[in-house]
Amino acid sequence: MHVVTLIPGDGIGPEITKAVMDIFAAAQVPIQWEEQNAGQTTFDQSGELIPTSLLKSLEKNKVALKGPITTPVGKGFRSINITLRQKYDLYQNVRPSKTTPGIKSRYEGIDLVLFRENTEGLYSGLEVYDERLGIADSFNRITVAGSRKICRAAFAYAAKHGRKKVTLAHKANILKMAGTLMLNACKEASNEFPQIVFEDKIIDNMCMQLVNKPEQFDVVVTTNLFGDILSDLCAGLVGGLGVVAGANIGDDMAIFEAVHGSAPDIAGQGKANPTALLRSGIMMLHYLGEHALADQIDKALDATLLNPEECTGDLGGKASTSQFAQSIIAKL
Ligand code: NAI
């Protein structure tokens, strides 16, 4: 039995985490959930944004499935997602995007995995505002150690999964120091994996190439901000935010969560697509060594996706979140 911390989050989080728990229960996945939450609703109830009990649970279990948590824009508390990623050095944000039969998209043959550096860059939280001069500075902190770790992780993943190519997306032509540091770290990592082709692309060209000919990419590695933007772009290439999974992985802890956010526009209406979180859960099952169960649930999901009428509105169907989950359960 695996003990896993479950963070439902807010917005659509509770609806999609319930769908995933129902599917896992029906598949008899040997997981004991330890439910903990964080964010504004938790603060309103307990006075803590990130309760100590959540941190203790994470530190004990070392693995979590997490729903999205709302971050206020422009003011208020700092992102809880970023805080957890930095606190536990979950330096790899791994986000696969793949075209799937049944899911409408403008493209075919996309099968790429994005490795986003998850703890540094413009998300380091180093910002100062000089009110007198009206100048705000946000520091793009990139370290040699952090760049080496994420680039090596991308190459190691490519080698382990029979992938052929790693592409670094960067801006070393303008960010002469921070950008070049990441470029050099990637060149260094590529020397260790001579069987994997290494290429680098400047981020603006990378965006154009991704829209124009996305099937050319295999494993993509990049810094935090670029990775945040590219992963939503990649979601758009393969059917939208409702279908793409993600994982925050460190050396001894991992938190699995969808790429999307709390979707306040559809929260509480039973409209949310649970696929992205379910696929994150499937990634988690592989991480836990439960490969057969992961494949079984994946197949039931794929079979359901072939019938758009059994899916939620974002995929052209009319099903609610829980009806979608029940259709998957029926195919297990
Ligand atoms: P969002 O990803 O929540 O929503 C963008 C659009 O995609 C919306 O139209 C939404 O309805 C749709 N969408 C997202 N997930 C969907 C799903 N599962 N099924 C169907 N449609 C779906 O992005 P937004 O609106 O920019 O952010 C909302 C909040 O989420 C913000 O407070 C943001 O900070 C937070 N956020 C949290 C993340 C996390 O917890 N890891 C990640 C990204 C954003």
Side-chain angles (χ1 to χ4, degrees):
M1 184 68 77
H2 309 279
V3 185
V4 172
T5 304
L6 180 84
I7 309 169
D10 53 39
I12 59 170
E15 301 162 61
I16 55 174
T17 41
K18 177 168 187 320
V20 173
M21 285 168 82
D22 289 348
I23 295 163
F24 274 29
Q28 298 184 334
V29 173
I31 283 182
Q32 187 191 322
W33 301 107
E34 215 169 81
E35 189 171 326
Q36 294 286 337
N37 216 348
Q40 188 63 53
T41 18
T42 310
F43 182 79
D44 294 342
Q45 287 157 8
S46 68
E48 284 183 294
L49 266 176
I50 308 182
T52 315
S53 56
L54 166 60
L55 302 180
K56 281 197 175 138
S57 175
L58 286 172
E59 284 159 23
K60 174 172 70 71
N61 301 331
K62 309 275 186 200
V63 57
L65 184 68
K66 176 185 162 297
I69 297 176
T70 305
T71 308
V73 175
K75 55 184 169 41
F77 59 85
R78 185 164 183 253
S79 163
I80 285 161
N81 312 306
I82 293 179
T83 305
L84 293 176
R85 292 165 187 171
Q86 289 178 341
K87 180 170 174 62
Y88 295 114
D89 195 19
L90 307 175
Y91 59 94
Q92 309 170 39
N93 193 327
V94 185
R95 297 179 155 181
S97 286
K98 196 176 171 178
T99 39
T100 310
I103 299 183
K104 243 173 115 183
S105 110
R106 292 169 192 267
Y107 304 90
E108 278 174 13
I110 299 174
D111 181 9
L112 64 86
V113 181
L114 183 81
F115 274 70
R116 161 187 173 192
E117 200 294 320
N118 215 16
T119 60
E120 305 188 338
L122 271 167
Y123 294 10
S124 300
L126 305 168
E127 287 194 302
V128 285
Y129 178 48
D130 187 324
E131 213 171 334
R132 193 176 55 85
L133 296 176
I135 296 175
D137 289 305
S138 306
F139 293 93
N140 178 35
R141 173 166 291 175
I142 302 284
T143 68
V144 173
S147 303
R148 280 183 177 153
K149 280 202 301 189
I150 187 66
C151 293
R152 201 187 178 284
F155 276 95
Y157 176 94
K160 188 174 171 197
H161 293 88
R163 301 257 174 182
K164 307 256 175 314
K165 186 169 77 171
V166 172
T167 306
L168 169 71
H170 65 85
K171 193 71 190 175
N173 53 331
I174 305 297
L175 305 174
K176 302 278 189 208
M177 291 181 190
T180 306
L181 207 149
M182 184 79 171
L183 181 58
N184 289 342
C186 230
K187 282 181 185 158
E188 230 177 72
S190 81
N191 291 336
E192 248 189 273
F193 298 87
Q195 75 279 29
I196 313 279
V197 176
F198 170 55
E199 64 175 15
D200 70 280
K201 292 210 184 298
I202 293 174
I203 185 68
D204 25 351
N205 175 35
M206 182 74 191
C207 291
M208 191 279 291
Q209 300 274 346
L210 269 170
V211 172
N212 219 22
K213 206 170 164 239
E215 63 283 358
Q216 68 180 293
F217 295 107
D218 194 347
V219 173
V220 175
V221 61
T222 191
T223 45
N224 208 338
L225 175 67
F226 295 159
D228 194 3
I229 297 167
L230 286 189
S231 51
D232 272 37
L233 192 162
C234 290
L237 300 175
V238 298
L241 281 166
V243 300
V244 281
N248 305 285
I249 301 179
D251 287 336
D252 71 343
M253 188 191 287
I255 300 180
F256 294 82
E257 64 177 340
V259 170
H260 65 71
S262 56
D265 52 338
I266 55 166
Q269 302 169 38
K271 288 183 180 169
N273 186 347
T275 303
L277 189 67
L278 181 60
R279 283 180 161 169
S280 310
I282 292 168
M283 285 174 82
M284 183 180 80
L285 290 181
H286 283 298
Y287 179 86
L288 292 171
E290 297 286 355
H291 303 293
L293 280 166
D295 291 341
Q296 190 197 347
I297 297 171
D298 205 14
K299 280 203 184 97
L301 170 65
D302 282 351
T304 309
L305 292 169
L306 284 174
N307 301 318
E309 68 276 13
E310 291 186 328
C311 304
T312 39
D314 58 315
L315 298 182
K318 287 202 171 69
S320 66
T321 310
S322 61
Q323 286 165 340
F324 189 0
Q326 287 308 316
S327 296
I328 297 167
I329 289 170
K331 293 179 187 63
L332 280 169

